[in-house]
Amino acid sequence: MKVIRSAAEMHEAVAAVKRAGRRIALVPTMGALHEGHAALLRKAREQNAAVIVSIYVNPTQFGPNEDLSRYPRTFDADLTLCIRESVDVIFAPTDAEMYPGGQTTAWVEEQALAKRLEGERRPGHFRGVCTIVAKLFNLTEPHVAVFGQKDFQQLKVIERMTRDLSYPIQIVPVPTVREPDGLALSSRNQYLSAEERAQAVVLYRALGIAQDLFNGGEHNAHRLQTAMQRTIQLAPAARLDYVEIVESETLLPVHEAKAGNVALLAVHIGKTRLIDNLIL
Ligand code: PAF
């Protein structure tokens, strides 16, 4: 396994993989790798391709009051997980390599899907995500790029950006990996105290209640959302940011929920903001 730090070296490695006639599968990450990422790496490996994982905590997708400085950086453990999952290349660039001169004047911005939900609460977030993902696409020239469904809106924004900018890249989604009690794996779970961790299961419970009601014939989105809100309120450490049932491609809210619609929520547990979703 190779660890590459510079754009120039990355271009050379991509050229070598292509000369060898191999396809490339990219897994973009911000490190602090866990079993959710391992599932992405396994999906990439199934593509019969050289697997490149990028590890880069992208400053432009964090707002001024967000957790950029304390975001977990665990490179040695990440390396061990990548070796275990037979990754071919880790691309772990420096800030200077990704944002020469400490800035970027050119941005990639998805307009249609990126304005609501996370985009509304985290202004500039998806502009930062799209810009870095486009740069990673340019640097690694993948045939396939793998993203988790845990960040459902991100997945849809990137699918749309890839199509709009005509990247010849297949976006492959991977279902959310959960703890035994249902909590979605996330690098941010490590911010939770033991008590908060116990209460964080409320996100999954709320989604489960929506699914149960839906299966039982309740399709009114407002009533499903109210049931989810009530469940969240039962956890003293939890503060609901939003809960919505949306159409899965447009991410627009629905009045009557249908199978395939998505329940999305964001909840603060203490000082940690978690997101989760479930496809009904
Ligand atoms: O999902 C993430 O970890 C990040 O948003 C991504 C896609 C790697 C871009 O920095």
Side-chain angles (χ1 to χ4, degrees):
M1 187 180 68
K2 239 182 164 161
V3 178
I4 291 181
R5 301 275 179 191
S6 74
E9 267 181 286
M10 193 64 245
H11 282 304
E12 277 168 28
V14 165
V17 171
K18 291 200 166 166
R19 271 197 305 276
R22 292 188 76 193
R23 284 157 50 82
I24 295 176
L26 172 68
V27 181
T29 81
M30 298 207 297
L33 303 182
H34 48 63
E35 291 306 311
H37 295 109
L40 305 184
L41 296 173
R42 271 175 232 139
K43 180 56 88 178
R45 170 74 42 230
E46 281 171 20
Q47 309 301 313
N48 209 0
V51 175
I52 302 178
V53 54
S54 63
I55 296 183
Y56 179 62
V57 182
N58 171 37
T60 63
Q61 69 188 73
F62 288 79
N65 300 317
E66 294 184 8
D67 55 343
L68 172 61
S69 58
R70 71 175 186 133
Y71 196 84
R73 288 156 172 91
T74 59
F75 191 73
D76 290 346
D78 294 350
L79 208 65
T80 307
L81 188 141
C82 288
I83 292 170
R84 189 192 85 190
E85 296 300 333
S86 311
V87 164
D88 294 280
V89 174
I90 295 181
F91 179 49
T94 58
D95 284 340
E97 210 51 55
M98 294 313 274
Y99 295 105
Q103 253 304 340
T104 182
T105 56
W107 295 95
V108 176
E109 197 156 6
E110 199 284 336
Q111 299 288 332
L113 302 174
K115 298 289 174 209
R116 301 189 60 250
L117 302 160
E118 290 301 293
E120 196 178 325
R121 272 92 183 167
R122 305 182 64 190
H125 170 66
F126 285 121
R127 188 173 80 151
V129 169
C130 286
T131 302
I132 201 68
V133 170
K135 283 164 81 75
L136 291 168
F137 284 177
N138 295 337
L139 285 163
T140 62
E141 299 177 43
H143 298 82
V144 169
V146 182
F147 292 87
Q149 277 177 349
K150 213 273 280 165
D151 297 300
F152 190 84
Q153 188 176 11
Q154 170 175 279
L155 169 69
K156 293 293 147 184
V157 164
I158 287 169
E159 279 177 358
R160 185 73 70 94
M161 176 200 82
T162 303
R163 201 178 72 202
D164 286 350
L165 297 184
S166 310
Y167 280 112
I169 299 171
Q170 185 195 350
I171 304 298
V172 175
V174 173
T176 303
V177 179
R178 297 181 180 280
E179 299 279 8
D181 68 356
L183 177 66
L185 295 195
S186 161
S187 305
R188 291 189 167 99
N189 291 351
Q190 28 183 306
Y191 299 152
L192 301 168
S193 69
E195 179 49 39
E196 289 168 347
R197 166 64 191 82
Q199 293 190 35
V201 71
V202 77
L203 279 85
Y204 183 65
R205 267 197 206 131
L207 293 168
I209 277 165
Q211 180 70 74
D212 288 348
L213 289 170
F214 180 79
N215 292 346
E218 177 59 89
H219 289 190
N220 180 281
H222 178 71
R223 283 198 288 273
L224 293 171
Q225 285 162 198
T226 305
M228 285 193 275
Q229 281 162 2
R230 291 210 176 110
T231 309
I232 300 290
Q233 280 161 4
L234 294 176
R239 184 166 51 83
L240 182 68
D241 188 344
Y242 64 80
V243 52
E244 277 202 28
I245 298 176
V246 301
E247 199 282 318
S248 64
E249 292 305 313
T250 61
L251 302 184
L252 290 173
V254 298
H255 294 295
E256 284 299 301
K258 291 206 236 8
N261 287 160
V262 188
L264 297 165
L265 47 74
V267 179
H268 295 269
I269 303 286
K271 290 198 169 101
T272 305
R273 185 172 180 279
L274 300 177
I275 58 173
D276 200 350
N277 67 81
L278 194 88
I279 301 175
L280 293 172

